[in-house]
Amino acid sequence: MASERPAPVRRPWWADDLAHAAMFLTRLPVPALARTDRPLMHAGWAFPLIGLLTGALGGGALWLGASAGLPLLAAALCALAVTAFVTGALHEDGLADLADGFGGGGTKERKIEIMRDSRVGSYGVLALVLATGLKAAALANIAVASPILAACAFAAAHILGRSAILPIAYFLPPATASGLGTGAGRPKAVTTGLCIALGTLLTFSLLPGFGFIAALLAASIAALATALLARRQIGGYTGDVLGGSEQVVECFVLLALSALPTGAAGFLWPL
């Protein structure tokens, strides 16, 4: 008599959500999903954890580069290159499409059409250049005080950037009836609240003191400004709006942190 096959081991829901978030937001190899019918946004509470992972990888590259004697600006660009590789430049692509659509379209329909075009226009190129330059300059400025401090700031920016995705998708309606943003589903209130709480807690663990306050305020302002702009331009959100908002939040957070007196007590623990 043939022996029966053992039943497959089912992962807990949180592990499946974490794998789902990592599968979408990164290029990292992850286990196959046990449940494929669960919308991505229902796993959105795990987005801050993915931000911590990508930010830590990039921050580690910055610290290694600075420790090896690279100029701080070069070390900062290495950090940005690592995270772009790990994520497949997913959010950078959203920012470029967002800039092209909002800058080049005259009507809602035309803006969305431009955003769906795979080609990158002048507005998109300019947005990517500015975002990369601003983030690299801010990181290099923070790294003058301490490369470890810059690595923590970089990780916090990634955490908050991904934490901002769910609130925008929760409070704004989808701008279209199809597309990546609509296909990902709408986040639930409890999932959105958990995402914000987890992102806030992780940020505080990295940036206690004035750094935490500055980062949280900058992220809130950036997310709100992007959401209001998207509502005015196309009446809601798309996948490009969500991806572009992540980059805008990152920029705002790093610029706010770089403007603080990094050597002052309260920005971070003594280094």
Side-chain angles (χ1 to χ4, degrees), residues 169-187:
Y170 179 77
F171 287 106
L172 286 184
T176 64
S178 61
L180 185 60
T182 304
R186 298 296 301 278

mmCIF file of all heavy atoms in Angstrom, residues 169-187:
data_model
loop_
_atom_site.group_PDB
_atom_site.id
_atom_site.type_symbol
_atom_site.label_atom_id
_atom_site.label_comp_id
_atom_site.label_asym_id
_atom_site.label_seq_id
_atom_site.Cartn_x
_atom_site.Cartn_y
_atom_site.Cartn_z
ATOM 1 N N ALA A 169 -3.306 55.166 -0.225
ATOM 2 C CA ALA A 169 -4.244 54.255 -0.882
ATOM 3 C C ALA A 169 -5.538 54.103 -0.094
ATOM 4 O O ALA A 169 -6.581 53.777 -0.672
ATOM 5 C CB ALA A 169 -3.588 52.886 -1.078
ATOM 6 N N TYR A 170 -5.484 54.335 1.208
ATOM 7 C CA TYR A 170 -6.689 54.207 2.034
ATOM 8 C C TYR A 170 -7.598 55.432 1.896
ATOM 9 O O TYR A 170 -8.817 55.302 1.781
ATOM 10 C CB TYR A 170 -6.302 54.009 3.497
ATOM 11 C CG TYR A 170 -7.488 53.890 4.430
ATOM 12 C CD1 TYR A 170 -8.217 52.708 4.505
ATOM 13 C CD2 TYR A 170 -7.883 54.967 5.235
ATOM 14 C CE1 TYR A 170 -9.310 52.597 5.351
ATOM 15 C CE2 TYR A 170 -8.965 54.861 6.079
ATOM 16 C CZ TYR A 170 -9.680 53.675 6.137
ATOM 17 O OH TYR A 170 -10.770 53.574 6.974
ATOM 18 N N PHE A 171 -7.005 56.615 1.899
ATOM 19 C CA PHE A 171 -7.808 57.837 1.913
ATOM 20 C C PHE A 171 -8.182 58.334 0.517
ATOM 21 O O PHE A 171 -9.166 59.060 0.371
ATOM 22 C CB PHE A 171 -7.071 58.947 2.669
ATOM 23 C CG PHE A 171 -7.044 58.746 4.150
ATOM 24 C CD1 PHE A 171 -5.885 58.352 4.798
ATOM 25 C CD2 PHE A 171 -8.197 58.927 4.910
ATOM 26 C CE1 PHE A 171 -5.864 58.158 6.179
ATOM 27 C CE2 PHE A 171 -8.185 58.736 6.280
ATOM 28 C CZ PHE A 171 -7.018 58.342 6.918
ATOM 29 N N LEU A 172 -7.410 57.962 -0.504
ATOM 30 C CA LEU A 172 -7.735 58.383 -1.866
ATOM 31 C C LEU A 172 -8.464 57.265 -2.611
ATOM 32 O O LEU A 172 -8.185 56.085 -2.377
ATOM 33 C CB LEU A 172 -6.462 58.742 -2.642
ATOM 34 C CG LEU A 172 -5.754 60.050 -2.315
ATOM 35 C CD1 LEU A 172 -4.578 60.253 -3.278
ATOM 36 C CD2 LEU A 172 -6.690 61.240 -2.371
ATOM 37 N N PRO A 173 -9.357 57.605 -3.528
ATOM 38 C CA PRO A 173 -9.982 56.579 -4.371
ATOM 39 C C PRO A 173 -9.049 56.223 -5.526
ATOM 40 O O PRO A 173 -8.186 57.029 -5.900
ATOM 41 C CB PRO A 173 -11.243 57.273 -4.885
ATOM 42 C CG PRO A 173 -10.846 58.719 -4.944
ATOM 43 C CD PRO A 173 -9.918 58.950 -3.777
ATOM 44 N N PRO A 174 -9.203 55.033 -6.110
ATOM 45 C CA PRO A 174 -8.422 54.718 -7.319
ATOM 46 C C PRO A 174 -8.800 55.672 -8.446
ATOM 47 O O PRO A 174 -9.966 56.002 -8.623
ATOM 48 C CB PRO A 174 -8.833 53.283 -7.642
ATOM 49 C CG PRO A 174 -9.414 52.739 -6.368
ATOM 50 C CD PRO A 174 -10.039 53.898 -5.674
ATOM 51 N N ALA A 175 -7.803 56.096 -9.203
ATOM 52 C CA ALA A 175 -8.061 57.035 -10.293
ATOM 53 C C ALA A 175 -8.581 56.334 -11.537
ATOM 54 O O ALA A 175 -9.190 56.970 -12.395
ATOM 55 C CB ALA A 175 -6.783 57.807 -10.634
ATOM 56 N N THR A 176 -8.339 55.025 -11.649
ATOM 57 C CA THR A 176 -8.791 54.262 -12.804
ATOM 58 C C THR A 176 -9.426 52.952 -12.337
ATOM 59 O O THR A 176 -9.255 52.535 -11.193
ATOM 60 C CB THR A 176 -7.615 53.937 -13.750
ATOM 61 O OG1 THR A 176 -6.681 53.083 -13.071
ATOM 62 C CG2 THR A 176 -6.906 55.210 -14.184
ATOM 63 N N ALA A 177 -10.127 52.315 -13.237
ATOM 64 C CA ALA A 177 -10.772 51.041 -12.921
ATOM 65 C C ALA A 177 -9.856 49.858 -13.179
ATOM 66 O O ALA A 177 -10.217 48.719 -12.903
ATOM 67 C CB ALA A 177 -12.044 50.886 -13.741
ATOM 68 N N SER A 178 -8.664 50.108 -13.700
ATOM 69 C CA SER A 178 -7.709 49.041 -13.976
ATOM 70 C C SER A 178 -6.310 49.551 -13.659
ATOM 71 O O SER A 178 -6.123 50.722 -13.337
ATOM 72 C CB SER A 178 -7.793 48.597 -15.441
ATOM 73 O OG SER A 178 -7.482 49.673 -16.305
ATOM 74 N N GLY A 179 -5.341 48.658 -13.765
ATOM 75 C CA GLY A 179 -3.970 49.050 -13.494
ATOM 76 C C GLY A 179 -3.447 48.424 -12.216
ATOM 77 O O GLY A 179 -4.181 47.796 -11.443
ATOM 78 N N LEU A 180 -2.152 48.630 -11.973
ATOM 79 C CA LEU A 180 -1.487 48.006 -10.839
ATOM 80 C C LEU A 180 -2.046 48.492 -9.510
ATOM 81 O O LEU A 180 -2.258 47.707 -8.584
ATOM 82 C CB LEU A 180 0.015 48.290 -10.907
ATOM 83 C CG LEU A 180 0.890 47.616 -9.853
ATOM 84 C CD1 LEU A 180 0.777 46.109 -9.955
ATOM 85 C CD2 LEU A 180 2.339 48.056 -10.020
ATOM 86 N N GLY A 181 -2.289 49.796 -9.399
ATOM 87 C CA GLY A 181 -2.802 50.329 -8.144
ATOM 88 C C GLY A 181 -4.162 49.760 -7.785
ATOM 89 O O GLY A 181 -4.420 49.397 -6.638
ATOM 90 N N THR A 182 -5.043 49.644 -8.769
ATOM 91 C CA THR A 182 -6.376 49.088 -8.530
ATOM 92 C C THR A 182 -6.305 47.591 -8.266
ATOM 93 O O THR A 182 -7.002 47.065 -7.393
ATOM 94 C CB THR A 182 -7.283 49.357 -9.736
ATOM 95 O OG1 THR A 182 -7.308 50.772 -9.995
ATOM 96 C CG2 THR A 182 -8.693 48.872 -9.478
ATOM 97 N N GLY A 183 -5.453 46.885 -9.026
ATOM 98 C CA GLY A 183 -5.331 45.449 -8.871
ATOM 99 C C GLY A 183 -4.780 45.022 -7.529
ATOM 100 O O GLY A 183 -5.006 43.887 -7.092
ATOM 101 N N ALA A 184 -4.056 45.922 -6.860
ATOM 102 C CA ALA A 184 -3.484 45.593 -5.554
ATOM 103 C C ALA A 184 -4.526 45.592 -4.447
ATOM 104 O O ALA A 184 -4.249 45.138 -3.334
ATOM 105 C CB ALA A 184 -2.370 46.587 -5.205
ATOM 106 N N GLY A 185 -5.740 46.091 -4.734
ATOM 107 C CA GLY A 185 -6.792 46.132 -3.729
ATOM 108 C C GLY A 185 -6.709 47.367 -2.857
ATOM 109 O O GLY A 185 -5.757 48.142 -2.937
ATOM 110 N N ARG A 186 -7.717 47.556 -2.029
ATOM 111 C CA ARG A 186 -7.747 48.684 -1.103
ATOM 112 C C ARG A 186 -7.336 48.197 0.285
ATOM 113 O O ARG A 186 -7.792 47.150 0.747
ATOM 114 C CB ARG A 186 -9.156 49.283 -1.025
ATOM 115 C CG ARG A 186 -9.673 49.856 -2.327
ATOM 116 C CD ARG A 186 -8.859 51.055 -2.808
ATOM 117 N NE ARG A 186 -8.848 52.143 -1.843
ATOM 118 C CZ ARG A 186 -9.821 53.048 -1.706
ATOM 119 N NH1 ARG A 186 -10.918 52.950 -2.455
ATOM 120 N NH2 ARG A 186 -9.713 54.021 -0.832
ATOM 121 N N PRO A 187 -6.499 48.948 0.970
ATOM 122 C CA PRO A 187 -6.106 48.534 2.319
ATOM 123 C C PRO A 187 -7.233 48.718 3.317
ATOM 124 O O PRO A 187 -8.048 49.640 3.187
ATOM 125 C CB PRO A 187 -4.929 49.456 2.637
ATOM 126 C CG PRO A 187 -5.163 50.675 1.802
ATOM 127 C CD PRO A 187 -5.824 50.178 0.543
#
